[in-house]
C-alpha cells in the first residue's frame, strides 16, 4: 500500500540517451570543478614527456584555462581522435592494470569538449608546422594550420557554460582559484624535473624551475623549499620491501600541524588522496602525535603496476591495492624507521617560536636549588648513572646532544646547557616516553615482570567500569597488573608492573577503566599499546617534583638513547633547543 504523501512516478519506458547528454554526464564525473580540468590537462602534458608546463587561468577557470607544454605533440590525425570518447594513447594493449602513465580514465579532452569550447594546437618535433582544431559542444567547428613550437597548447573557454547548474555548485572564485593552485602544486611535487608556471588573472602565483634529473632527494628538497617553505622540519624516507619502495620526506612529530593539509601522497608518481594511505600514515605516527595533530609528509609509493588499480575513481584520486596490508606495513615501518634513524631531533620551527616568546627584561622565577635539603625517591625507571661532566655544580659542558643539567624551573622543566644551545626539557613528558619504551621492550621479550603489593589495594568503581576491568584482567596480567573482581563493583589490586613501583594503584585502575571504554581500539596490539601508555603516564616523574642534578642528567642521557623521546606518548614535544646564536640576538649581541 502506498504510504500517505508519497507519490511514485508512472512507469516510463527505457530509452537510449542522446550522445550529447551522455557526454555531459561523463564530463560531470571527470570534471567536477575547474581544478579538475587543470589537473587532467597537466597530466596529459606530463605523459607527453613535457619538461616545461605553463598554466594560465582567468576568473578561477570559468572564463578560460590554457595549458601549454613542450612535450612530444600530436599529429592532426591523433588530434581528431583525442577528442573522441574511449580513445587513448595510454593503453598499449587491453590490460587495464598495465598503466605506467598518469592514467587514461579521465578522457579529459572529450569530457571538456562536451561542456566547453576546446581549442587544441599541437606540433610534433618532426613536423614543419602545427595544427589547430576547435571543438564546441562535442562538434568540430574549425581546424587548420597553427604556428607554434613543438608541443601542445590546450585552451578551454566557457567551462560549464552548457551546464549552468554545475556553475551554481562551484565555490567562491577565491576558493576555486585556491583549488587550482593546490592541484598544480601537487603535480609539481610529483615531477621535480619539470618546470611549472601558474598565472591567475594575469598574476604569476607559482614559478619553479626544473630540477636536475637523477638527484631525486636533492631535487625533491629543492622543489619543497620552492613550493612549501613552511615544511623544513622533515627527515628523509627510503625503505623497500620486495618490489615495493617508499621514499620522500616525513615530518618531525614536534612540528605536527592542526590539519592534514600538508600530507602529500603519491602512488607511482600519481598524486592521490587515498583514505587507506592516510590511515597508514596516521598509524606510523601512533603514540607520537596527539589525536588532533597531523604530521606533514611527502611520500612516494612505488609498486608494480599489476599490484595497484588506479582507475577505481573517475578523478583517479583513490587507488586499490592487491595487498593493502603489505602496503600499510611498508608505510608504517618506513616512516618509523626514518624517524628513529633521525635520532633525538627538536623541531627548528619550535625553537623559533621559543625565541619569539622571550620578553626582554622578564624575570625568571621558580628555579630549583641545585641541591635540595630533603630526600627524594629514586626515579621509577632505571636510568643510567651520571657520567663525565655531570656532577653537582660542574661547569664542564661535554658534547652531549642534550647537554648538562643546570637547574629546574617550576619544578617541571629541566634547564640544560649544550655546547651550542640552551635546552629545556619537560621532565614528565620525557620520562613518560622512556617508561613506555621500556615497557614495550619488556613486553617484546615476554610478559612484564610484576611486583606484589605489600597490602592489596581495594578500589571502588562504577559497575560498568568494574565489568570492563574484569574482562580485561587476562590482558592486564600479561602487562604485570594483577587484579581481581570482588563483591559488587570493587576491584582488588594485588600487583603492579615492576617498572611502575611508585604508581598509585587506585588512580591507575580508574584511568584504565576509562581507557577500556567502548569505542577504544579493538585490536589486541592497539589495546595493549593503549594500556601501556596509560600505565607509563602513572609511572613517570610528575610535574612539580624537584630533582637533583644527577637525576636530571640521568634523564637526559636516557633520552639521548631513545630515538622516540622527542615527543611524549601523546605527541607533544619533550624538549626545545634555543641556539646560542639566537640567545645572542635576543640580547642584541
Amino acid at each position: 500500500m502506498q504510504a500517505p504523501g508519497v507519490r511514485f512516478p508512472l512507469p516510463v519506458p527505457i530509452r537510449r540517451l542522446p550522445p550529447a547528454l551522455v557526454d555531459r554526464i561523463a564530463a560531470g564525473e571527470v570534471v567536477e570543478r575547474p581544478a579538475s580540468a587543470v589537473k587532467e590537462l597537466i597530466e596529459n602534458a606530463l605523459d607527453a614527456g613535457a619538461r616545461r608546463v605553463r598554466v594560465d587561468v582567468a576568473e578561477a577557470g570559468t572564463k578560460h584555462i590554457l595549458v601549454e607544454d613542450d612535450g612530444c605533440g600530436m599529429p592532426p590525425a591523433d588530434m581528431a581522435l583525442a577528442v573522441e570518447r574511449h580513445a587513448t594513447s595510454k593503453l598499449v594493449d587491453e590490460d587495464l592494470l598495465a598503466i605506467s602513465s598518469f592514467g587514461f580514465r579521465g578522457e579529459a579532452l572529450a569530457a571538456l569538449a562536451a561542456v566547453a569550447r576546446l581549442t587544441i594546437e599541437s606540433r610534433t618535433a618532426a613536423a614543419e608546422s602545427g595544427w589547430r582544431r576547435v571543438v564546441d559542444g562535442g562538434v568540430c567547428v574549425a581546424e587548420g594550420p597553427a604556428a607554434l613550437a613543438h608541443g601542445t597548447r590546450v585552451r578551454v573557454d566557457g567551462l560549464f557554460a552548457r551546464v549552468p547548474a554545475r556553475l551554481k555548485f562551484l565555490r567562491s572564485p577565491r576558493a576555486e582559484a585556491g583549488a587550482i593552485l593546490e592541484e598544480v602544486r601537487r603535480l609539481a611535487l610529483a615531477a621535480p624535473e619539470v618546470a611549472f608556471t601558474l598565472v591567475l588573472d594575469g598574476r604569476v602565483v607559482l614559478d619553479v624551475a626544473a630540477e636536475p634529473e637523477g638527484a631525486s632527494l636533492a631535487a625533491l628538497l629543492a622543489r619543497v623549499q620552492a613550493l612549501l617553505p613552511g615544511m623544513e622540519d622533515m627527515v628523509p624516507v627510503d625503505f623497500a620491501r620486495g618490489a615495493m619502495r617508499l621514499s620522500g620526506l616525513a615530518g618531525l612529530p614536534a612540528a605536527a600541524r592542526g590539519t592534514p593539509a600538508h600530507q602529500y601522497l603519491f602512488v607511482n608518481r600519481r598524486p592521490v588522496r587515498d583514505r587507506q594511505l592516510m590511515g597508514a600514515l596516521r598509524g606510523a605516527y601512533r603514540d607520537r602525535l596527539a589525536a588532533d595533530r597531523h604530521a606533514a609528509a611527502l611520500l612516494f609509493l612505488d609498486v608494480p603496476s599489476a599490484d595497484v588499480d588506479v582507475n577505481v575513481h573517475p578523478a583517479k584520486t583513490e587507488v586499490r591495492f592487491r595487498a593493502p596490508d603489505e602496503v600499510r606495513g611498508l608505510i608504517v615501518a618506513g616512516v618509523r624507521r626514518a624517524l628513529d634513524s633521525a635520532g633525538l631531533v627538536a623541531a627548528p620551527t619550535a625553537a623559533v617560536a621559543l625565541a619569539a616568546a622571550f620578553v626582554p627584561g622578564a624575570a625568571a622565577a621558580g628555579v630549583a636549588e641545585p641541591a635540595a635539603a630533603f630526600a627524594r625517591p629514586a626515579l621509577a625507571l632505571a636510568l643510567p648513572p651520571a657520567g663525565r661532566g655531570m656532577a653537582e655544580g660542574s661547569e664542564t659542558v661535554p658534547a652531549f646532544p642534550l647537554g648538562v643539567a643546570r637547574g629546574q624551573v617550576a619544578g617541571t622543566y629541566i634547564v640544560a646547557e649544550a655546547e651550542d644551545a640552551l635546552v629545556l626539557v619537560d621532565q614528565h613528558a620525557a620520562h613518560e616516553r622512556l617508561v613506555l619504551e621500556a615497557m614495550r621492550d619488556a613486553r617484546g621479550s615476554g610478559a612484564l615482570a610484576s611486583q606484589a603489593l605489600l597490602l592489596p589495594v581495594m578500589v571502588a568503581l562504577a559497575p560498568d567500569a568494574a565489568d570492563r576491568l574484569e574482562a580485561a584482567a587476562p590482558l592486564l596480567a600479561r602487562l604485570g597488573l594483577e587484579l581481581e573482581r570482588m563483591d559488587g563493583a570493587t576491584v582488588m589490586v594485588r600487583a603492579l608492573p615492576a617498572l611502575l613501583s611508585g604508581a598509585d594503584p587506585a588512580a591507575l585502575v580508574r584511568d584504565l577503566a576509562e581507557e577500556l571504554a567502548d569505542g577504544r581500539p579493538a585490536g589486541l596490539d592497539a589495546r595493549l599499546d593503549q594500556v601501556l601508555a596509560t600505565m607509563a603516564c602513572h609511572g613517570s616523574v610528575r610535574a612539580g617534583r624537584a630533582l637533583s642534578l644527577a637525576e636530571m642528567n640521568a634523564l637526559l642521557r636516557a633520552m639521548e638513547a631513545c630515538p622516540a623521546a622527542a615527543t611524549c606518548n601523546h605527541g607533544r614535544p619533550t624538549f626545545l633547543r634555543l641556539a646560542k646564536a639566537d640567545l645572542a640576538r635576543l640580547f642584541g649581541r
Side-chain angles (χ1 to χ4, degrees):
M1 182 176 179
Q2 182 172 308
V6 177
R7 297 184 60 189
F8 295 104
L10 296 174
V12 176
I14 297 175
R15 66 187 181 94
R16 191 184 301 276
L17 298 177
L21 181 57
V22 171
D23 289 343
R24 285 164 57 188
I25 293 173
E29 292 184 351
V30 176
V31 186
E32 299 176 354
R33 59 196 305 191
S36 305
V38 172
K39 171 181 177 292
E40 296 284 350
L41 295 178
I42 295 178
E43 288 180 347
N44 281 346
L46 296 177
D47 284 338
R51 289 296 175 265
R52 180 185 57 79
V53 176
R54 186 178 188 275
V55 182
D56 190 311
V57 175
E59 296 182 10
T62 57
K63 182 177 181 181
H64 82 247
I65 297 171
L66 177 66
V67 176
E68 301 177 80
D69 69 69
D70 61 350
C72 63
M74 293 181 286
D78 282 0
M79 291 173 63
L81 282 173
V83 294
E84 294 185 8
R85 295 188 65 207
H86 310 301
T88 182
S89 63
K90 302 175 185 182
L91 274 178
V92 295
D93 53 32
E94 297 182 1
D95 186 356
L96 294 180
L97 294 181
I99 299 174
S100 58
S101 66
F102 277 95
F104 76 97
R105 179 171 177 170
E107 297 177 323
L109 298 181
L112 291 170
V115 294
R117 182 181 181 90
L118 181 71
T119 303
I120 307 176
E121 296 173 304
S122 191
R123 175 186 172 186
T124 64
E128 295 182 357
S129 63
W131 192 256
R132 179 172 178 264
R133 188 177 183 89
V134 183
V135 181
D136 197 351
V139 178
C140 179
V141 296
E143 63 177 325
L148 74 160
H150 77 85
T152 300
R153 181 188 302 135
V154 181
R155 182 183 175 106
V156 181
D157 290 289
L159 184 63
F160 300 135
R162 286 179 173 77
V163 279
R166 179 59 61 88
L167 285 173
K168 296 179 182 178
F169 286 94
L170 294 181
R171 299 174 64 187
S172 67
R174 180 185 297 272
E176 294 298 336
I180 291 172
L181 174 59
E182 181 63 16
E183 288 293 354
V184 176
R185 183 186 289 123
R186 286 181 179 273
L187 289 163
L189 289 169
E193 72 282 1
V194 180
F196 281 84
T197 302
L198 172 61
V199 180
L200 293 177
D201 293 320
R203 182 170 61 94
V204 177
V205 297
L206 182 151
D207 190 13
V208 291
E211 300 297 333
E213 294 189 61
S216 56
L217 180 58
L220 179 61
L221 287 171
R223 183 56 57 95
V224 169
Q225 291 171 359
L227 294 175
L228 304 167
M231 291 180 65
E232 293 91 353
D233 304 337
M234 310 188 82
V235 295
V237 178
D238 193 356
F239 186 71
R241 277 182 179 171
M244 297 189 300
R245 180 171 178 257
L246 182 72
S247 59
L249 300 167
L252 294 173
R257 300 160 185 266
T259 72
H262 286 78
Q263 293 179 351
Y264 295 88
L265 306 177
F266 305 84
V267 176
N268 293 347
R269 294 186 68 209
R270 177 183 289 102
V272 297
R273 295 180 179 88
D274 190 87
R275 285 176 293 178
Q276 59 183 327
L277 295 182
M278 294 182 72
L281 180 61
R282 186 75 186 172
Y285 284 89
R286 188 181 66 188
D287 76 39
R288 300 195 186 195
L289 285 180
D292 61 344
R293 306 297 290 172
H294 304 269
L298 276 96
L299 295 177
F300 294 80
L301 177 63
D302 295 309
V303 299
S305 59
D307 292 340
V308 58
D309 184 354
V310 300
N311 285 303
V312 298
H313 189 279
K316 299 168 293 189
T317 57
E318 297 179 8
V319 294
R320 180 182 294 127
F321 296 101
R322 181 171 304 203
D325 290 343
E326 293 181 12
V327 171
R328 177 182 175 84
L330 177 80
I331 293 174
V332 172
V335 172
R336 282 187 173 268
R337 176 172 294 188
L339 295 175
D340 290 345
S341 299
L344 202 61
V345 181
T349 52
V352 173
L354 176 64
F358 274 89
V359 179
V367 179
E369 291 296 325
F374 55 89
R376 305 180 183 89
L379 292 176
L381 175 65
L383 296 174
R388 174 178 58 87
M390 295 185 294
E392 300 275 351
S394 171
E395 298 299 324
T396 308
V397 184
F400 291 120
L402 295 181
V404 176
R406 296 304 189 196
Q408 196 177 17
V409 177
T412 301
Y413 304 104
I414 298 171
V415 180
E417 180 186 3
E419 285 186 315
D420 60 346
L422 170 72
V423 180
L424 298 178
V425 178
D426 183 332
Q427 66 190 38
H428 171 69
H431 196 233
E432 183 182 20
R433 168 61 72 179
L434 296 177
V435 172
L436 176 61
E437 296 302 322
M439 296 182 76
R440 281 178 172 166
D441 291 344
R443 190 191 90 190
S445 58
L448 271 70
S450 62
Q451 179 174 324
L453 298 177
L454 185 61
L455 294 175
V457 176
M458 310 296 288
V459 185
L461 300 165
D464 58 336
D467 291 341
R468 290 194 295 270
L469 286 170
E470 183 180 20
L475 179 148
L476 298 175
R478 292 174 52 185
L479 302 179
L481 177 61
E482 298 179 10
L483 50 81
E484 180 182 346
R485 176 77 174 267
M486 306 303 289
D487 294 336
T490 301
V491 170
M492 180 171 64
V493 183
R494 296 183 179 276
L496 291 178
L499 289 170
L500 308 183
S501 58
D504 178 352
L508 173 60
V509 165
R510 291 192 182 99
D511 280 356
L512 285 175
E514 292 297 324
E515 290 292 333
L516 295 169
D518 290 341
R520 303 293 185 178
L524 178 60
D525 286 342
R527 180 65 60 87
L528 287 173
D529 258 356
Q530 174 186 309
V531 172
L532 285 177
T534 301
M535 289 182 171
C537 184
H538 282 268
S540 56
V541 174
R542 311 305 296 180
R545 172 183 162 185
L547 301 176
S548 69
L549 287 177
E551 288 174 320
M552 296 181 209
N553 282 311
L555 183 63
L556 297 179
R557 302 293 79 78
M559 289 176 65
E560 292 164 352
C562 177
T567 58
C568 73
N569 308 345
H570 313 291
R572 295 186 292 271
T574 58
F575 75 98
L576 300 174
R577 290 175 60 92
L578 185 62
K580 289 185 176 178
D582 291 328
L583 280 172
R585 281 193 293 270
L586 286 171
F587 286 97
R589 297 178 66 88

